Amino acid sequence: MKNIPSSSAQQPGQKGMEPRNVQQATIYRILLAVSFVHLFNDSIQAVIPAIFPILKENMLLSFAQIGWISFALNMTSSVIQPIIGYAADRKPRPILLPLGMCCTFAGVLLLAFANNYVLVLFSVMLVGFGSAAFHPEGMRVAHMAAGLRKGLSQSIFQVGGNAGQSLGPMLTKWIFIPFGQIGALTFTIFAAAGIAVQAYVARWYREMLDAGYTFRKKTSARTIDPARSKSIRNATIILVLLVFLRSWYGASIGSYYAFYLMENYKMPLDDAQVYIFMYLAAGAIGTFFGGPLADRFGRRNLILISMVGTVPFALALPFVSQFWAAILLLIGGFVLLSSFSVTVIYAQMLYPGNIGTVSGLITGLAFGLGGIGSLVIGSLIDGIGITNVIIACGFLPLLGLLALLLPRDQQLEEWAAE
């Protein structure tokens, strides 16, 4: 077996020994590989909202119907993620990595030729299923390859996904506006590349498991303090709610702000997409720097600051000129998404060893709940107009004050040490 630290494997003749999770080295080639696949996966997911203006025009869809497409994507990519993650924590399944990308390949291929609303819904559900299969096992691979640098590994892994999402608006400008819906065929190339890379990563993953790597430490059976169990449960609910609120506000910008620019500034679609790209690209940069910032200022503190710190920019956004809108989007995207990887790390501290379950819960289920927000936003726009909805959504990050109810980092570290 190649490039696996000897300390992470059982030595010959030690079959009776318990597998040990003692790998120290950070395997950057695997981290970069799984981050690039995260970029492929999420850039393909970004195709869906990127194509909304084209679908709305071609199929004469309402904003509510656009919301249902977003809902179908987010729910299928998220609702089953905790289930897949829970199963993976009990029995790792490296084969899900390439199989998930195969599902994504089929979905984007069908999307290119879908000629009615039902086929569009089915194609985005396939893309969603592929994403649901990738994220829990991808998260576990990133954790495995991290060695002792767990925060860095999360930043590398998550920045790939957020960078992929940021490409969505530019995909509209470069591909869907010139070529229309058939332009989705371009992304079968991304999906095929993802399948190849995932096959390589899955092989390394399997070799590590065969060598004896385990995500769980053996602990003696003991009764967990009921008060602590209640605190962990409450913290989990608050964390999921915070990610839900962040996703809901993100949906108002990523899915609908381009329509706001077109209506209020008479901006052409390709120019409007540049603004969305700036917001998402700034968010990807914020994701990368979020880990180091959390190490310096604390994870709970960064989650609080990232939400509440977005409020002034979100509230001012509907009332400024085009120039200042671009500035506010850049700052707001960086601040809001600086906590993206930090919320995952915080959840992993709440549930050490349950990497797949945490991934499904935080990057899956909570993000998928944002799909409900997208559906609600689309319906509200049809009813009261896009300007009123964008203004109202600016208040959502204010609920980030709920982060004050989360246990402090020191408390989590004390629990882990006991």
Side-chain angles (χ1 to χ4, degrees):
M1 188 173 60
K2 301 178 181 179
N3 298 322
I4 299 177
S6 60
S7 60
S8 67
Q10 297 179 28
Q11 299 300 317
Q14 295 177 311
K15 293 182 179 179
M17 291 184 62
E18 176 192 342
R20 296 179 296 155
N21 180 9
V22 291
Q23 176 189 311
Q24 303 295 315
T26 302
I27 314 299
Y28 287 101
R29 61 185 173 84
I30 297 297
L31 279 177
L32 291 174
V34 78
S35 180
F36 272 115
V37 175
H38 202 182
L39 186 150
F40 295 154
N41 180 88
D42 284 25
S43 65
I44 292 172
Q45 271 196 270
V47 167
I48 311 304
I51 207 173
F52 281 171
I54 306 299
L55 294 175
K56 188 176 188 301
E57 180 178 348
N58 289 351
M59 299 183 181
L60 303 178
L61 303 181
S62 67
F63 282 108
Q65 287 175 307
I66 292 293
W68 275 110
I69 297 174
S70 180
F71 176 81
L73 173 68
N74 287 337
M75 293 304 286
T76 51
S77 68
S78 61
V79 168
I80 64 172
Q81 267 200 56
I83 300 172
I84 294 175
Y86 180 84
D89 285 334
R90 272 72 194 159
K91 183 177 176 58
R93 292 171 174 82
I95 190 64
L96 283 178
L97 293 171
L99 283 182
M101 289 304 296
C102 287
C103 191
T104 299
F105 180 95
V108 76
L109 180 63
L110 178 60
L111 178 63
F113 297 100
N115 57 6
N116 61 66
Y117 187 62
V118 173
L119 283 179
V120 169
L121 287 174
F122 181 65
S123 65
V124 302
M125 288 174 67
L126 285 175
V127 173
F129 282 129
S131 180
F134 162 72
H135 279 97
E137 288 290 16
M139 185 82 72
R140 286 164 61 83
V141 167
H143 187 275
M144 178 184 284
L148 299 178
R149 309 191 70 178
K150 306 302 182 187
L152 175 65
S153 76
Q154 274 303 311
S155 290
I156 293 175
F157 177 70
Q158 298 293 355
V159 78
N162 282 0
Q165 291 175 20
S166 73
L167 291 176
M170 302 312 293
L171 301 178
T172 299
K173 181 179 177 69
W174 294 331
I175 295 176
F176 294 119
I177 290 178
F179 301 106
Q181 188 176 338
I182 195 68
L185 275 178
T186 305
F187 301 96
T188 58
I189 300 173
F190 288 7
I195 293 169
V197 177
Q198 289 290 62
Y200 168 75
V201 171
R203 179 180 177 184
W204 177 86
Y205 186 6
R206 172 53 61 191
E207 288 177 345
M208 287 293 291
L209 293 173
D210 291 343
Y213 185 98
T214 178
F215 291 91
R216 294 174 177 270
K217 296 180 180 179
K218 185 177 178 60
T219 58
S220 57
R222 60 184 175 88
T223 303
I224 299 178
D225 180 9
R228 182 191 302 181
S229 296
K230 182 179 179 180
S231 296
I232 292 174
R233 182 178 65 251
N234 291 340
T236 303
I237 294 171
I238 293 169
L239 199 62
V240 169
L241 181 58
L242 289 172
V243 177
F244 167 48
L245 292 169
R246 187 179 65 201
S247 299
W248 195 333
Y249 178 72
S252 72
I253 301 299
S255 296
Y256 298 105
Y257 190 67
F259 294 107
Y260 175 84
L261 292 171
M262 293 164 65
E263 178 175 314
N264 288 271
Y265 296 103
K266 309 305 177 186
M267 191 179 295
L269 175 59
D270 54 346
D271 289 345
Q273 293 299 325
V274 174
Y275 279 67
I276 310 304
F277 167 75
M278 289 190 296
Y279 169 78
L280 296 174
I285 297 171
T287 296
F288 182 78
F289 285 101
L293 288 172
D295 290 339
R296 181 175 179 83
F297 299 106
R299 297 177 182 88
R300 192 195 76 156
N301 291 339
L302 187 70
I303 293 171
L304 173 64
I305 292 169
S306 75
M307 295 288 290
V308 178
T310 305
V311 173
F313 308 109
L315 292 178
L317 185 61
F319 304 103
V320 297
S321 66
Q322 296 181 37
F323 171 80
W324 285 108
I327 300 299
L328 294 180
L329 286 171
L330 286 170
I331 300 174
F334 180 93
V335 174
L336 183 66
L337 291 179
S338 63
S339 65
F340 194 94
S341 62
V342 179
T343 50
V344 176
I345 298 170
Y346 189 97
Q348 290 175 355
M349 294 177 70
L350 286 173
Y351 299 96
N354 295 286
I355 310 301
T357 307
V358 166
S359 169
L361 189 66
I362 300 302
T363 64
L365 180 59
F367 179 76
L369 291 174
I372 298 176
S374 183
L375 177 59
V376 173
I377 290 170
S379 299
L380 286 174
I381 290 173
D382 284 334
I384 64 175
I386 193 167
T387 299
N388 291 329
V389 172
I390 293 296
I391 292 172
C393 286
F395 289 91
L396 287 173
L398 186 59
L399 296 175
L401 288 169
L402 290 170
L404 290 169
L405 302 177
L406 291 172
R408 294 182 178 275
D409 292 18
Q410 295 88 336
Q411 182 66 72
L412 296 185
E413 291 164 1
E414 289 174 9
W415 291 345
E418 294 177 4

